[in-house]
Amino acid sequence: MKSNEVFSGLHDIGELAKKMIQMKYHITYDLVYLLVELALVLPVATATVKRSFSVMKFIKTDLRNNIGDNFLTNALAFYVEKDIFASVENEEILQRFQAMGPRRCQLPATGKKK
């Protein structure tokens, strides 16, 4: 690739990946392209893992140290995606929970109407 002038003006690895696809070199040099792809994805994946462990520190305290995997996964999902869950109205959650099956009593309405 050093001898090819098309690749001489590239400034970062993202441009290299785009140029390889344009020139169809991602088919010819598939292992090289996989390494370039890995180099592009690795920082994002590492940040996601670090964020998950940081969140786990808040969820899994000494008092809740023996919680099961299913509960921990659900709690982490709620904590990480709290912006999405903040947009869901409490009334919708209560209605869905009540509709899941018979309850000993009806849950009270929150009083907020849309």
Side-chain angles (χ1 to χ4, degrees), residues 61-105:
T61 62
D62 288 337
L63 295 174
R64 289 185 266 175
N65 199 24
N66 295 326
I67 59 177
D69 290 339
N70 193 23
F71 180 82
L72 180 62
T73 302
N74 293 337
L76 286 173
F78 279 110
Y79 192 88
V80 169
E81 303 296 340
K82 59 186 162 197
D83 297 336
I84 294 171
F85 289 107
S87 65
V88 178
E89 294 293 325
N90 289 339
E91 188 65 33
E92 292 176 41
I93 296 170
L94 288 173
Q95 288 174 1
R96 179 154 183 178
F97 182 73
Q98 197 69 42
M100 287 171 68
R103 304 278 177 241
R104 290 184 191 167
C105 65

Side-chain angles (χ1 to χ4, degrees), residues 24-72:
K24 303 218 187 296
Y25 283 170
H26 69 288
I27 298 168
T28 308
Y29 302 105
D30 57 338
L31 293 177
V32 173
Y33 182 71
L34 282 175
L35 281 173
V36 169
E37 211 173 37
L38 178 64
L40 289 170
V41 172
L42 195 59
V44 176
T46 304
T48 304
V49 170
K50 282 184 179 180
R51 184 176 181 202
S52 297
F53 277 106
S54 176
V55 168
M56 195 181 302
K57 181 174 58 178
F58 291 110
I59 301 292
K60 198 165 182 173
T61 62
D62 288 337
L63 295 174
R64 289 185 266 175
N65 199 24
N66 295 326
I67 59 177
D69 290 339
N70 193 23
F71 180 82
L72 180 62

